[in-house]
Amino acid sequence: MSDLPGLGRVVLASNNAGKLREFASLLDAAGIELIAQGELGVPEAQEPHPTFVENALAKARHASSLTELPALADDSGLCVRALNGAPGVYSARYASLNVNGDEKSDAANNARLVADLKDATDHRRAYYVCVLVLVRHADDPEPLIAEGRWHGEVLDAPRGANGFGYDPYFFLPTLNASAAELDPARKNALSHRALALRELLQQLKELA
Ligand code: IMP
């Protein structure tokens, strides 16, 4: 059991199996047992807000209010310097923004990213960001909020076949590899999600 009152079983406001594995293995060390919201019959929440933290908070509150359990949610995206932080919170549906749709296609998103950066000078700097929010209950006045940023550069042509989303175009100069060229375990240890999770664990330790 966790040392934090009320924590122990925590619902993850996502049904992504990869995220569940990644988060569960690290949170296990803090005595937290993560359960995917789908297992408890929680439907996906809307993500209508213009900031990562608002979307993560909305998802956490939604899962917590329906399950009466503490809830953990994340929101993440790619922020490109030459695009003033776009695609940002709209990363999942970047390509369909122009056409007012809601389609989530990695191939279309990457095509739009490359097209948008075609004429940009100094366009390479970018980072993935992940914001994690943990609420003890739906109206928690003190949600724990942790952020992680993974810095890299945008490539003009894809490299690698692992990962998902923008990974084939996200280059790590210090590793001389794109995120899609990294072994999945390596990516999971280095990524924006890993950085945010470590920060969250630190906050949990300080509160224990
Ligand atoms: P979500 O927060 O999991 O919904 O992610 C939002 C979007 O950000 C995804 O659909 C991807 O387009 C992008 N994204 C977030 N994290 C990653 C990553 O680790 N690799 C590639 N794309 C990512």
Side-chain angles (χ1 to χ4, degrees):
M1 284 293 290
S2 161
D3 293 331
L4 277 187
L7 288 184
R9 292 175 81 216
V10 171
V11 57
L12 178 66
S14 165
N15 288 319
N16 181 313
K19 278 186 194 172
L20 181 70
R21 259 196 312 277
E22 200 177 326
F23 291 158
S25 69
L26 282 173
L27 288 175
D28 188 49
I32 290 173
E33 182 200 347
L34 265 194
I35 306 153
Q37 64 177 8
E39 272 182 48
L40 302 173
V42 177
E44 275 196 15
Q46 298 293 312
E47 301 180 37
H49 302 294
T51 66
F52 294 102
V53 68
E54 287 171 291
N55 284 326
L57 185 56
K59 288 189 271 188
R61 279 202 175 122
H62 176 254
S64 184
S65 72
L66 292 178
T67 59
E68 297 186 352
L69 285 172
L72 174 69
D74 79 313
D75 199 34
S76 60
L78 177 71
C79 301
V80 182
R81 190 185 176 99
L83 301 177
N84 295 320
V89 283
Y90 307 109
S91 291
R93 52 195 166 93
Y94 190 41
S96 60
L97 288 179
N98 308 355
V99 289
N100 238 352
D102 197 31
E103 195 207 323
K104 297 177 177 175
S105 150
D106 288 345
N109 288 339
N110 281 318
R112 178 170 175 195
L113 180 67
V114 169
D116 284 357
L117 287 172
K118 198 160 69 68
D119 299 321
T121 51
D122 183 30
H123 68 260
R124 303 172 69 91
R125 289 171 68 179
Y127 58 82
Y128 280 132
V129 62
C130 171
V131 178
L132 288 175
V133 172
L134 179 64
V135 294
R136 290 163 295 179
H137 53 83
D139 299 319
D140 192 343
E142 283 186 274
L144 295 186
I145 298 172
E147 295 184 356
R149 285 184 180 73
W150 196 22
H151 293 271
E153 299 175 352
V154 179
L155 292 167
D156 291 326
R159 285 175 55 163
N162 296 330
F164 69 99
Y166 299 93
D167 284 348
Y169 289 88
F170 188 71
F171 183 69
L172 293 316
T174 51
L175 304 175
N176 190 27
S178 77
E181 289 177 306
L182 298 181
D183 174 78
R186 183 126 195 254
K187 182 191 166 191
N188 290 347
L190 298 171
S191 75
H192 46 312
R193 269 179 292 281
L195 295 168
L197 256 187
R198 261 178 242 136
E199 158 73 24
L200 186 73
L201 278 174
Q202 188 56 39
Q203 291 186 31
L204 285 169
K205 263 192 214 144
E206 281 163 19
L207 285 172

